[in-house]
Amino acid sequence: NAGVMQNPRHLVRRRGQEARLRCSPVKGHSHVYWYRQLPEEGLKFMVYLQKENIIDESGMPKERFSAEFPKEGPSILRIQQVVRGDSAAYFCASSQGTANTEAFFGQGTRLTVV
Amino acid sequence: KQEVTQIPAALSVPEGENLVLNCSFTDSAIYNLQWFRQDPGKGLTSLLLIQSSQREQTSGRLNASLDKSSGRSTLYIAASQPGDSATYLCAVETGANNLFFGTGTRLTVIP
């Protein structure tokens, strides 16, 4: 009974490359959330997805960032043309329902842009 | 806009001491408040979840309280142990289906 699985755990990209972060939610969970933790800052909400739909992307940067949660397979957070400021830990969480249900977090993907 | 503040930012205590971590939030319209633990280089572990209608939750040596009207929560750790050393985060859930996190309190328990 695996929890939220994120991969890779560590990702190094050169400036201008693309980063793809994967998140497999807890089995049976259809709600996925992505958070970003910048160095010395707290976690900030990025996007909330429910199978095949983006529900709330108010925390996503307007450019270069996109997220999807297809009917089959993991949720993907995609960052195009990465810059040094994208270096952070990206956490994914999943839950069974909507508001007021417990979210379970993955171990995060640490992205380093060199 | 919801803002979550945690005080202190860092805390060092000798083993065995009881301690309190503080969390405050600006908008009392929350569904719940959670306390998480984050170990260096690792993910988040949920410790306690308090619904907005509750005043406290207990799990082992941990006790969390919630005063929604004043926008405050405390996490009480009894008889601290070196294994308790970690960063403790509080987060509130609003109706927007997302969590607002504080910046955390980095706890060090000295053997």
Side-chain angles (χ1 to χ4, degrees), chain B residues 23-25 33 65-74:
Chain B
C23 173
S24 61
F25 47 96
L33 182 145
S65 69
L66 173 64
D67 184 343
K68 202 173 78 159
S69 60
S70 67
R72 296 178 189 278
S73 175
T74 61

Side-chain angles (χ1 to χ4, degrees), chain A residues 73-102:
Chain A
S75 175
I76 305 288
L77 179 68
R78 182 182 177 205
I79 311 171
Q80 295 177 290
Q81 300 175 337
V82 295
V83 300
R84 287 239 172 93
D86 297 332
S87 296
Y90 292 82
F91 289 94
C92 167
S94 75
S95 70
Q96 252 182 339
T98 54
N100 212 22
T101 56
E102 188 173 2

Side-chain angles (χ1 to χ4, degrees), chain A residues 5-13 17-24 32 34-37 46-47 49 64-70 73-80 82 86-92 107-113:
Chain A
M5 303 298 291
Q6 289 187 249
N7 68 80
R9 293 289 309 280
H10 300 274
L11 182 62
V12 179
R13 284 287 178 265
Q17 291 185 317
E18 178 179 288
R20 291 171 68 87
L21 288 62
R22 294 176 186 76
C23 169
S24 296
V32 164
W34 284 94
Y35 294 83
R36 176 167 64 174
Q37 185 174 37
M46 297 182 76
V47 62
L49 307 105
R64 303 187 296 108
F65 284 72
S66 62
E68 62 177 13
F69 188 18
S75 175
I76 305 288
L77 179 68
R78 182 182 177 205
I79 311 171
Q80 295 177 290
V82 295
D86 297 332
S87 296
Y90 292 82
F91 289 94
C92 167
Q107 292 191 303
T109 293
R110 274 151 189 82
L111 172 66
T112 303
V113 180

Side-chain angles (χ1 to χ4, degrees), chain A residues 13-64:
Chain A
R13 284 287 178 265
R14 295 186 184 279
R15 279 179 296 172
Q17 291 185 317
E18 178 179 288
R20 291 171 68 87
L21 288 62
R22 294 176 186 76
C23 169
S24 296
V26 172
K27 189 176 180 181
H29 286 189
S30 59
H31 300 255
V32 164
Y33 311 79
W34 284 94
Y35 294 83
R36 176 167 64 174
Q37 185 174 37
L38 291 165
E40 305 303 321
E41 293 188 23
L43 283 94
K44 300 283 193 244
F45 167 79
M46 297 182 76
V47 62
Y48 162 41
L49 307 105
Q50 191 178 353
K51 280 290 185 182
E52 300 184 271
N53 293 304
I54 296 174
I55 308 300
D56 181 353
E57 56 181 349
S58 57
M60 287 278 270
K62 294 287 184 263
E63 297 176 348
R64 303 187 296 108

Side-chain angles (χ1 to χ4, degrees), chain B residues 29-51:
Chain B
I30 64 171
Y31 280 111
N32 59 57
L33 182 145
Q34 292 187 61
W35 283 93
F36 293 87
R37 169 183 172 142
Q38 184 176 29
D39 293 280
K42 296 187 178 179
L44 301 173
T45 302
S46 180
L47 298 173
L48 290 164
L49 184 152
I50 312 176
Q51 301 289 353

